[in-house]
Every structure is written in structure tokens, then in C-alpha cells.
Amino acid sequence: MTDQPMIYVEDLYKGFGTLKVLKGITEHVNKGEVVSIIGPSGSGKSTFLRCLNLLEEPDSGKVFFEGVEITAKGVNINVHRQRMGMVFQLFNIFPHLSVIENISIAPTMLKGIPKAQSKKAAELLLERVGLQDKRNEHPSKLSGGQKQRLAIIRALAMEPDVMLFDEPTSALDPEMVGEVLDVIKSLVSEGMTSVIVTHEMGFAREISDRVLFMDEGMIAEQGPPQALFGDPQNQRTKEFLSKVLY
Amino acid sequence: MIFLEKTLAVATKYGYMFVDGIFYTLLLSAITVFFGTIMGSLLSMLRMSRFSVVRFIATAYIEIIRGTPLLLQLYLFYFLLPDLLPFLDDKFLCICIALVLNSAAYISEIVRAGIQAVDRGQAEAARSLGMSGVQNMLRIILPQAVRNILPALCNEFIMVIKETSLASTFFIGDIMSQYKKIQGLTYLVIEPLLIAGIIYFMLTFSLSKVVAAFERRLKTSD
Ligand SMILES: Nc1ncnc2c1ncn2[C@@H]1O[C@H](COP(=O)(O)OP(=O)(O)OP(=O)(O)O)[C@@H](O)[C@H]1O
Ligand SMILES: [Mg+2]
């Protein structure tokens, strides 16, 4: 099983009350692969992504991560989540901690790394995204773009094997989108396995190995970006793309 | 003029008794809010438990306490506790327990509201990093909730100062108990009452000013 997928999802169903959101998804993400998820609002993209680290508990179906079924009973999901970074639309920076503490709290608490050492690692990450001057700032002093860059390196500090992004630039002012996308690009170019829900079609086209088009709780079409954007087969994909690409 | 002179005379002669009363009122209130906060915090955790039986018991307790008069609860504990637990024959202790059990119900709702006011995304970020539910609560949620909880807790302290006057039914030395004693000694009703009222007002008014200043500081340090 050397070439087992990093994430494998089998027949996933999820609803909220009577609303059925995910209607049977089977999908995989290989190691080193960059998968973008696009689709209309409400189609279940976030729900699907959040099922991958079980922030949402599926109603039925299985999720495997690095060969382990994390949906199985008795699995300590916290251990697996340490290796799955997640970045949220609204950043979710911890407002009661300084910038550097936001990064170092999880490695210190969860990996038992001494504080001094995890702060040193945090400094390197801050430098990497150009936030070294902000190390002792209060997060409320940061712009949206800076907050999102901080959120990305907060997740990286746990040295995850995969990164999950849920519309990382949707809440940003247009002039800040670029700086966040650049960070994600550099991550991807280093081989970070990534699953990215996004409305930035140009970005998805540029960096993805594969694009999934979600519609009404199912993956209606998927393929390499050139094929999916250049020659969509599914009627719904065509409609969606003609709307977002003009 | 005669009225004012009389009031002043009462204040001069029996002032020391009122000072005792202030001491006991503040002591009783501090004990109530301190232990009420500990118990109320635990109660709020039970109230948010994932086990429905636990939630039900906590909710029932809170509703019953909040749905019946404090005076009734004081009577109940004053007479019931020494019967049930003979070593609890100290009336001050029984009243304390009743006040704590009462205020814990109110404080648990303050704590719960404070916790639920913390953005849901905070817990999601913490859990996505791999923190357990307890780690998330202690390191991420509670430190943020405290900012919401503290001002409300101070207001609860002010409420309790006024509520302890009900305990004077059992003469436990608070301001109103002292008032009753002084009334018995002087056969004056209004004058000592005026003094007690002024004392209560000065206590609660100055404390609420302190709380307001404190709240402003919490906001600006954000
Ligand atoms: N916690 C929840 N409780 C109830 N309904 C929910 C919950 N989360 C999502 N939904 C509903 O599920 C559906 C799918 O939501 P989801 O967030 O997955 O869509 P999405 O594709 O990410 O949309 P968007 O592009 O707007 O982010 C929506 O109708 C949404 O209202
Ligand atoms: Mg979404």
C-alpha cells in the first residue's frame, strides 16, 4: 500500500435536519496533489471539506486518512487532526493571544515542544510570510490579509501532511487577495498536499492538479483544470462556469 | 429638623452596629459570589454537556431555583439543613449555603452566556489544530469568555448585596438585621431605616461605578 491515497472518502452522506447536503461522495486525494473544489453557493463544498477532518460528523460513509479510517469508532480524532491543517474563511485567529503565541500554542500544547523552541520555529514561519515585525503584536492590529497569512502558518506550525483551505480569500478586500494566494502558491510549489475550496477560478486553474465541481451535494464533474475549465462536459458545470467566468 | 437630628443621633450612637452590619453583608455577599461562581461554572458545564440526562438535571435545578422565591429557599435550608445534617447547626452557615445554591443558578447562566458569546470559529480553529475539548475550553474559550463574564459577575455581586437583606429574617448580623436590633432598642422605625438605605445605596452605587470603569478598561484593552 505504498501508493494509497492520503485521503480517501467513501460514499459520504451528510445532512442538517431534513436538509440533505452531501449525497454520496466517493473521492480521494493523493500525496502531493492539489485539489480545488468549485461550485455554486450552498452546494456543500464547505461541508465536504469539514467532513475530511470531522469538524462535521458524516451521517454515513467513511473517511480514511493516511490509511486509517478516522470515522471508525474509538479513533482519537485529535491525533489525526494534528496532521491536517485547516484555514478558514474568517481566519479564526485567537484574539487573546499575541501573534507569535497564536502560532506556538498548538505545538507547545500538543507536541510537547518546549516553548522557546516552538517560538523559534514560529519566528521562521513569520519571516516566511513577511510578518516578522508583528511577532508581539495583538492580532486585532493586523489587516485581513495579514490575519489569513498568520492563520496559514499557525496551521503549518503543526507540520501537517495536508492543508485544507475553505475559501481562504473570500473575506478579504481585493487588494489583499494576492498576498494570501502567493503564500498558498509557495506552499503548493513545495509539494504540500492541499484541498482548496475557492471562488478564485484563475487561481484554481493555475495551481490545481485536479478540480472538482460540486453541485447539489455531489461531485458533478472532475478533471484536470485545462479539461474542466476548457472543455466542461456536464451541463451544470457549463452553466456555472459561464456565470463566474462571464 | 427634629427628624434629621434624631437620625443623626441614631447614626452617632449606633453607628458601630451598622459598621458590623456592613461587614457581615459584604462577607455574606463575597462568600456567596465566590462559591456561587465555582458552583455556577460547574453547573454551566453540566448544562452544556453532551449527555442529555446531565443537561436535564442541570436545567431542572437552574429552573427550580430561579422559579421560586429566595426567601422560601432561605426558610427551607434554615430549617431543613440542620435536620438532615446535624453538624450543620450553625445558622450563618445554613444561610450561606442557601445563598450559594441560589446564586450558582444565576451565575451558571452568566457563565453559559459568556461562553456561548465566544465565536464558534474559535473552537473550530482550536479543534482543527488537534486540541481536545478540554484543552480548547481551558486555553481558547474560557480566557475569552472571562471578558464577557467578569462584568456580569460584578453586577451579580451588587444584586447579592441587596438580596442578603432577606437573610435578616434570621438575624445573621447583616445591615438589615442590625436595623431591626436598633429599631428594637430605640423604638424608632424610619430614622434607622433611612441610615440603612443610605448605606445600601452607597455600597451598590460605588460598586457599580467601579464595575463601569472596569468594563471600559476591558473594552479599550481589546
Ligand atoms: N451547521 C449547519 N446547520 C444547518 N445547515 C447548514 C449547516 N452548515 C451548512 N448548512 C447548510 O448546508 C448547505 C451547504 O452548505 P455549505 O456551507 O457546505 O455550502 P458551500 O458550498 O460551502 O457554500 P458557499 O459557497 O456559500 O460557502 C447550505 O444550504 C447551508 O445552509
Ligand atoms: Mg462554504
Side-chain angles (χ1 to χ4, degrees):
Chain A
M1 287 282 279
T2 47
D3 53 356
Q4 75 183 5
M6 176 158 295
I7 298 175
Y8 178 65
V9 175
E10 191 179 281
D11 209 20
L12 201 67
Y13 283 80
K14 172 69 182 174
F16 298 102
T18 55
L19 178 73
K20 292 191 167 54
V21 178
L22 301 182
K23 302 169 190 166
I25 295 186
T26 299
E27 193 48 67
H28 68 277
V29 178
N30 289 324
K31 187 167 162 45
E33 197 179 23
V34 179
V35 175
S36 292
I37 305 175
I38 60 170
S41 188
S43 57
K45 305 180 297 294
S46 300
T47 306
F48 174 62
L49 194 73
R50 292 156 57 83
C51 279
L52 298 183
N53 65 357
L54 301 191
L55 277 188
E56 300 291 356
E57 209 169 314
D59 296 336
S60 70
K62 294 176 180 174
V63 179
F64 293 83
F65 175 56
E66 298 184 326
V68 178
E69 192 203 331
I70 56 176
T71 37
K73 275 215 171 69
V75 169
N76 180 3
I77 185 61
N78 299 326
V79 179
H80 298 283
R81 281 186 184 142
Q82 292 181 22
R83 286 181 287 126
M84 312 172 98
M86 188 169 223
V87 174
F88 301 85
Q89 189 173 350
L90 296 175
F91 331 129
N92 298 344
I93 292 301
F94 303 135
H96 62 301
L97 301 177
S98 70
V99 165
I100 192 154
E101 285 166 341
N102 261 277
I103 307 167
S104 64
I105 184 171
T108 309
M109 188 194 304
L110 302 170
K111 289 185 159 178
I113 296 172
K115 224 179 197 149
Q117 196 182 327
S118 62
K119 289 219 165 155
K120 223 179 246 167
E123 309 240 8
L124 290 178
L125 287 166
L126 282 169
E127 249 168 67
R128 173 174 178 171
V129 296
L131 289 176
Q132 59 274 31
D133 301 343
K134 309 285 181 193
R135 78 186 287 285
N136 295 318
E137 286 283 4
H138 196 266
S140 62
K141 301 251 160 58
L142 301 184
S143 72
Q146 291 172 330
K147 280 185 188 158
Q148 195 60 303
R149 282 183 277 157
L150 173 59
I152 293 172
I153 55 176
R154 174 179 68 180
L156 287 181
M158 288 300 288
E159 304 185 320
D161 297 336
V162 59
M163 287 287 286
L164 311 173
F165 296 90
D166 191 0
E167 298 196 31
T169 59
S170 296
L172 295 177
D173 292 334
E175 74 270 19
M176 292 172 185
V177 170
E179 64 195 54
V180 171
L181 294 186
D182 285 344
V183 173
I184 301 174
K185 276 182 204 163
S186 92
L187 258 183
V188 159
S189 71
E190 286 163 21
M192 174 63 78
T193 311
S194 302
V195 184
I196 309 168
V197 174
T198 185
H199 284 296
E200 299 280 338
M201 294 305 149
F203 175 69
R205 186 170 192 155
E206 183 187 337
I207 68 153
S208 312
D209 297 312
R210 210 147 52 88
V211 180
L212 313 181
F213 171 69
M214 271 192 80
D215 187 45
E216 296 190 343
M218 287 188 286
I219 295 173
E221 185 170 358
Q222 61 124 331
Q226 306 84 326
L228 195 119
F229 287 109
D231 182 24
Q233 302 300 312
N234 182 296
Q235 188 55 35
R236 301 285 304 204
T237 319
K238 286 181 194 166
E239 283 168 19
F240 175 74
L241 288 177
S242 72
K243 257 186 240 154
V244 294
L245 298 175
Y246 305 113
Chain B
M1 275 346 263
I2 303 244
F3 173 71
L4 272 185
E5 272 164 33
K6 272 197 203 161
T7 308
L8 274 176
V10 171
T12 321
K13 188 158 179 210
Y14 298 100
Y16 72 97
M17 287 177 73
F18 277 119
V19 172
D20 273 3
I22 294 171
F23 171 75
Y24 275 103
T25 289
L26 289 179
L27 178 68
L28 207 54
S29 308
I31 291 174
T32 302
V33 173
F34 180 77
F35 290 102
T37 301
I38 295 173
M39 192 183 154
S41 304
L42 294 174
L43 205 53
S44 72
M45 298 295 154
L46 300 183
R47 179 86 202 264
M48 293 183 285
S49 161
R50 69 192 132 129
F51 302 110
S52 58
V53 182
V54 176
R55 275 204 308 273
F56 175 81
I57 294 171
T59 310
Y61 176 83
I62 292 166
E63 293 300 334
I64 290 170
I65 292 286
R66 299 205 305 174
T68 53
L70 174 59
L71 191 57
L72 183 150
Q73 294 162 19
L74 289 174
Y75 268 100
L76 184 72
F77 282 93
Y78 186 78
F79 293 114
L80 189 70
L81 270 185
D83 270 4
L84 286 178
L85 307 163
F87 57 92
L88 281 180
D89 59 357
D90 183 68
K91 66 179 179 179
F92 188 77
L93 192 59
C94 290
I95 292 299
C96 278
I97 291 173
L99 285 169
V100 167
L101 292 177
N102 176 275
S103 106
Y106 289 90
I107 291 176
S108 77
E109 291 295 274
I110 293 174
V111 173
R112 188 169 70 106
I115 287 174
Q116 287 179 341
V118 176
D119 178 34
R120 255 188 67 197
Q122 292 292 308
E124 291 183 351
R127 297 308 301 269
S128 79
L129 288 164
M131 289 186 205
S132 69
V134 174
Q135 287 169 329
N136 164 49
M137 186 51 83
L138 294 179
R139 299 290 298 279
I140 304 299
I141 305 300
L142 278 182
Q144 297 183 55
V146 163
R147 287 168 162 264
N148 312 328
I149 293 168
L150 269 183
L153 216 49
C154 295
N155 288 327
E156 173 71 10
F157 184 70
I158 293 169
M159 289 295 297
V160 168
I161 286 179
K162 290 182 281 177
E163 281 173 353
T164 51
S165 64
L166 287 176
S168 68
T169 315
F170 309 100
F171 283 95
I172 45 139
D174 69 307
I175 296 168
M176 277 312 272
S177 304
Q178 299 301 76
Y179 157 75
K180 287 181 188 171
K181 272 191 218 155
I182 295 165
Q183 187 207 331
L185 290 170
T186 58
Y187 300 104
L188 291 172
V189 178
I190 303 296
E191 292 83 352
L193 196 58
L194 181 69
I195 298 169
I198 290 171
I199 293 174
Y200 274 116
F201 180 76
M202 290 197 317
L203 283 180
T204 56
F205 186 74
S206 54
L207 274 172
S208 65
K209 287 289 159 208
V210 172
V211 175
F214 175 57
E215 228 170 323
R216 267 197 304 279
R217 274 201 53 188
L218 271 186
K219 279 222 180 77
T220 50
S221 73
D222 208 16

